[in-house]
Amino acid sequence: MLDYWNEYPKIQKNLIQVKKLISQRLVINNKSIEEAITKFSSTGGKMIRPALFFLFADFGEEKEQDQLVKIAASLELLHSATLIHDDIIDDSPTRRGLPSIQSRFGKDIAVYTGDFMYTSYFELLAECMSATPFLLKNAQAMKKVLQGELTQMSCTFNPDQTIVDYLRNINGKTAELIRLSCHEGAYFGGSDEKLQARAKRIGSAIGLAFQVYDDILNFSLELGDEQKPILTDVQQGIFTLPLLIARDNQPEIIRPYLERPEALSRQDLIQLAYYVDRFDGIAGALEFAEKLTQKALNEIQELPEGKSKEILNTVAIQLLERSY
């Protein structure tokens, strides 16, 4: 999926270096894990976090390319490891439209593969930022990701989950790593504290909006394909913003669907998707996401003028675009 960055050759060149470094680090004398890593890498991904890291690094004056590549690789490894472990927890059959590691190789190999990625991530941190405050910040970021997972777990199958609970979940699960990527880019690129703080705010807004748009899309997909699973989050007891807004607008209709979501038939799920749209769940979530997007774009406009700002503005809009 590096073709996504074809219009930005400098970013693409940096990301190619990151992929090469990750491939060099993820070498292990175990055929099953090696094959799992190869299959996971082949599923693509836009490498959003490393790309944002490099964009923010460009605003500073002090750069050491080898260090930047290692940090960008650490971000991608951390993200990849969390995805593999998420699929194990969720028992997800697919990832990026292809069989997930856990469904293809089994949960044991998936756990070991995710763990191996974590060890490579820690090695890179020790090599490139041991004398900086970001060694601690990475540990804190991992803790926030875990807290987001645990908060989501505590809310699973809870028909009384609040929108505040949902926002707390995605602030840890999704926004934290994007926020960290932007902040690290500004710091290790040599930017001042004011720009670093702005980078964190931009990362937070992009991360939250990115997840909300994904959750909207889950209710907006064509539901006519009988072979394609639908509303899998709902059946797993994970209630996202469109559904929670619709529930708050029409509790007497929506709430019964949340009592035993794992028992819902395909027709029930199609009806629920219709209600979520009818009762302004999608419209309300879309309005919320658009406000976050605009917040990110407003902050980007305050960045120093230059090519990096132009690219970041364009990329932010592209990343947050969806088809409904």
Side-chain angles (χ1 to χ4, degrees), residues 66-83:
D66 288 344
Q67 182 189 39
L68 294 184
V69 171
K70 285 184 176 181
I71 297 168
S74 75
L75 290 163
E76 186 65 14
L77 280 169
L78 177 57
H79 174 57
S80 297
T82 61
L83 292 184

Side-chain angles (χ1 to χ4, degrees), residues 53-70:
F53 168 82
F54 281 117
L55 280 168
F56 277 98
D58 273 348
F59 289 105
E61 300 296 330
E62 302 175 11
K63 303 180 185 69
E64 202 282 297
Q65 183 64 13
D66 288 344
Q67 182 189 39
L68 294 184
V69 171
K70 285 184 176 181

Side-chain angles (χ1 to χ4, degrees), residues 48-49 52 79 82-83 86-87 90 95 145 148-149 152 161 163 165-179 202-220 232-234 236 238-245 281-282 284-286 288-290 292-293 296 316 318-322 324:
I48 292 169
R49 291 147 194 84
L52 288 171
H79 174 57
T82 61
L83 292 184
D86 279 353
D87 288 343
D90 297 340
R95 168 61 61 180
V145 171
E149 290 281 1
Q152 177 175 289
Q161 177 188 342
I163 290 175
D165 292 330
Y166 164 81
L167 293 175
R168 190 180 296 115
N169 298 344
I170 67 171
N171 188 55
K173 286 192 56 172
T174 306
E176 181 59 32
L177 292 189
I178 293 180
R179 179 166 50 243
I202 292 170
S204 292
I206 289 176
L208 291 169
F210 190 82
Q211 185 60 56
V212 173
Y213 277 121
D214 267 1
D215 292 337
I216 295 168
L217 191 59
N218 193 39
F219 282 93
S220 309
T232 52
D233 279 355
V234 175
Q236 292 169 353
I238 300 171
F239 306 145
T240 56
L241 188 59
L243 180 57
L244 295 175
I245 291 174
I282 291 177
L286 189 57
F288 184 82
E290 287 171 346
L292 286 167
T293 302
Q318 289 175 345
L319 290 176
L320 300 177
E321 282 183 345
R322 297 290 192 276
Y324 301 101

Side-chain angles (χ1 to χ4, degrees), residues 140-170:
Q140 292 169 334
M142 285 192 67
K143 185 176 182 179
K144 288 179 181 176
V145 171
L146 175 59
Q147 288 172 332
E149 290 281 1
L150 292 174
T151 303
Q152 177 175 289
M153 185 182 297
S154 68
C155 293
T156 303
F157 294 104
N158 179 8
D160 297 315
Q161 177 188 342
T162 67
I163 290 175
V164 172
D165 292 330
Y166 164 81
L167 293 175
R168 190 180 296 115
N169 298 344
I170 67 171

Side-chain angles (χ1 to χ4, degrees), residues 14 33-34 38 50 57-58 66 83 101 112 139 143 181 205 230 258 286 300 305:
N14 285 332
I33 295 176
E34 186 176 48
T38 300
D58 273 348
D66 288 344
L83 292 184
I101 296 299
Y112 290 136
K143 185 176 182 179
S181 301
I230 60 171
L258 310 187
L286 189 57
I300 289 171
E305 295 298 330

Side-chain angles (χ1 to χ4, degrees), residues 288-303:
F288 184 82
E290 287 171 346
K291 287 180 180 178
L292 286 167
T293 302
Q294 192 57 54
K295 180 179 179 181
L297 295 176
N298 290 343
E299 291 279 7
I300 289 171
Q301 290 309 308
E302 298 301 318
L303 291 169

